[in-house]
């Protein structure tokens, strides 16, 4: 299946927290979007890999994704190296996306920065015909996405552009809350984590309001770019 947008996420729920409003917006316009989670989040304070996979499936239904996979890389231990690059290249060539969305270029969690650089390198390498990969035993055709954009996560990063997600705010929150093992639940007996704090989701809303404010809308999601974007029509800008 060819996708219009492929989202790479170091952990299940990274995409939902960082760019699910943008995902929902583009799906509403008829675009095909998929997510590839790099790890099962097994080193997280709360939940289990099995629970996280179930939650991922629920979030995928909410967002109406065309595809979702989990590469099963080792949480916290994966690296931007040949082994992991080739696995990522296989996914890029499988789905042939025009645009890739990837983790923040740097962040509180080291996996986010690693996931960011891994996706960037794999997107370039995927276009090199002398790098050979197989999928289901068949040789793959080289493919390089037209653009790689990085969503912004915990740490504040000044965005290069902001997407208006105001009509899709409810969908974004629903997709985040599909990961109920991870967020505030007064009845939970699991240890408290950074994101289970009751103030965490209000922070997500505050960030979305801040980015939205920059473009005079209610809610926005910010992205950084690897190359200068261009437009054909000034009226494409809001």
């Amino acid at each position: 299946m060819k996708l219009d947008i492929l989202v790479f996420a170091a952990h299940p729920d990274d995409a939902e927290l960082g760019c699910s409003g943008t995902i929902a917006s583009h799906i509403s316009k008829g675009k095909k979007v998929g997510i590839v989670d790099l790890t099962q989040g097994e080193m997280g304070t709360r939940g289990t890999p099995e629970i996280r996979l179930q939650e991922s499936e629920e979030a995928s239904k909410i967002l109406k994704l065309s595809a979702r996979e989990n590469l099963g890389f080792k949480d916290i231990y994966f690296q931007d190296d040949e082994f992991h690059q080739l696995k990522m290249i296989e996914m890029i060539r499988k789905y042939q996306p025009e645009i890739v969305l990837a983790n923040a270029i740097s962040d509180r969690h080291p996996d986010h920065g690693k996931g960011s650089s891994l996706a960037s390198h794999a997107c370039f390498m995927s276009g090199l015909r002398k790098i050979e990969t197989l999928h289901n035993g068949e040789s793959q055709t080289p493919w390089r996405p037209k653009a790689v954009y990085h969503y912004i996560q915990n740490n504040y990063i000044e965005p290069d552009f902001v997407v208006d997600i105001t009509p899709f705010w409810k969908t974004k929150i629903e997709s985040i809350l599909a990961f109920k093992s991870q967020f505030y639940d007064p009845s939970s007996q699991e240890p408290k984590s950074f994101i289970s704090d009751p103030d965490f989701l209000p922070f997500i809303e505050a960030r979305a309001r801040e980015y939205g404010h920059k473009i005079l809308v209610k809610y926005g999601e910010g992205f950084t770019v690897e190359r200068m974007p261009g437009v054909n029509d000034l009226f494409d800008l809001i």
Side-chain angles (χ1 to χ4, degrees), residues 21 32 47 50 70 78 94 102 112 128 132 166 169 171 226 236:
K32 292 183 178 180
E50 293 76 19
N70 192 299
F78 76 86
K94 175 181 178 179
H112 297 168
L128 300 177
E132 298 180 0
T166 305
W169 177 250
T171 303
E226 296 191 0
D236 288 340

Side-chain angles (χ1 to χ4, degrees), residues 21-32:
T22 300
I23 291 171
S25 174
H26 285 78
I27 289 174
S28 76
K29 297 177 174 71
K31 301 298 186 184
K32 292 183 178 180

Side-chain angles (χ1 to χ4, degrees), residues 13-82:
D13 77 16
D14 281 357
E16 283 76 11
L17 287 165
C19 62
S20 56
T22 300
I23 291 171
S25 174
H26 285 78
I27 289 174
S28 76
K29 297 177 174 71
K31 301 298 186 184
K32 292 183 178 180
V33 184
I35 296 175
V36 172
D37 298 307
L38 307 190
T39 77
Q40 296 179 352
E42 66 271 18
M43 297 299 288
T45 302
R46 296 156 69 102
T48 65
E50 293 76 19
I51 289 172
R52 300 291 288 273
L53 287 173
Q54 292 172 3
E55 292 170 342
S56 296
E57 291 177 5
E58 179 60 27
S60 299
K61 292 176 184 176
I62 292 168
L63 293 172
K64 301 178 181 178
L65 298 177
S66 294
R68 189 165 198 158
E69 298 195 40
N70 192 299
L71 293 179
F73 293 168
K74 292 181 67 174
D75 192 8
I76 207 66
Y77 293 111
F78 76 86
Q79 297 295 323
D80 182 3
D81 59 18
E82 181 180 359

Side-chain angles (χ1 to χ4, degrees), residues 182-184 192-202:
Q182 301 303 301
F183 301 106
Y184 179 67
K192 183 178 178 180
S193 71
F194 180 77
I195 65 174
S196 72
D197 188 284
D199 288 331
F200 183 76
L201 289 180

Side-chain angles (χ1 to χ4, degrees), residues 36-151:
V36 172
D37 298 307
L38 307 190
T39 77
Q40 296 179 352
E42 66 271 18
M43 297 299 288
T45 302
R46 296 156 69 102
T48 65
E50 293 76 19
I51 289 172
R52 300 291 288 273
L53 287 173
Q54 292 172 3
E55 292 170 342
S56 296
E57 291 177 5
E58 179 60 27
S60 299
K61 292 176 184 176
I62 292 168
L63 293 172
K64 301 178 181 178
L65 298 177
S66 294
R68 189 165 198 158
E69 298 195 40
N70 192 299
L71 293 179
F73 293 168
K74 292 181 67 174
D75 192 8
I76 207 66
Y77 293 111
F78 76 86
Q79 297 295 323
D80 182 3
D81 59 18
E82 181 180 359
F83 171 81
H84 295 89
Q85 289 161 358
L86 289 172
K87 293 292 186 181
M88 298 277 278
I89 291 168
E90 181 184 347
M91 292 295 100
I92 295 164
R93 291 176 173 178
K94 175 181 178 179
Y95 289 113
Q96 300 184 341
E98 302 299 319
I99 294 172
V100 162
L101 305 182
N103 284 97
I105 56 174
S106 65
D107 206 41
R108 172 183 176 271
H109 197 303
D111 278 0
H112 297 168
K114 286 190 295 180
S116 171
S117 65
L118 179 55
S120 294
H121 293 153
C123 283
F124 180 82
M125 296 166 67
S126 181
L128 300 177
R129 65 182 181 85
K130 291 185 178 179
I131 293 180
E132 298 180 0
T133 55
L134 300 175
H135 182 70
N136 293 333
E138 296 185 3
S139 295
Q140 292 183 295
T141 302
W143 181 270
R144 184 173 293 148
K146 290 185 174 69
V148 180
Y149 303 128
H150 298 267
Y151 47 92

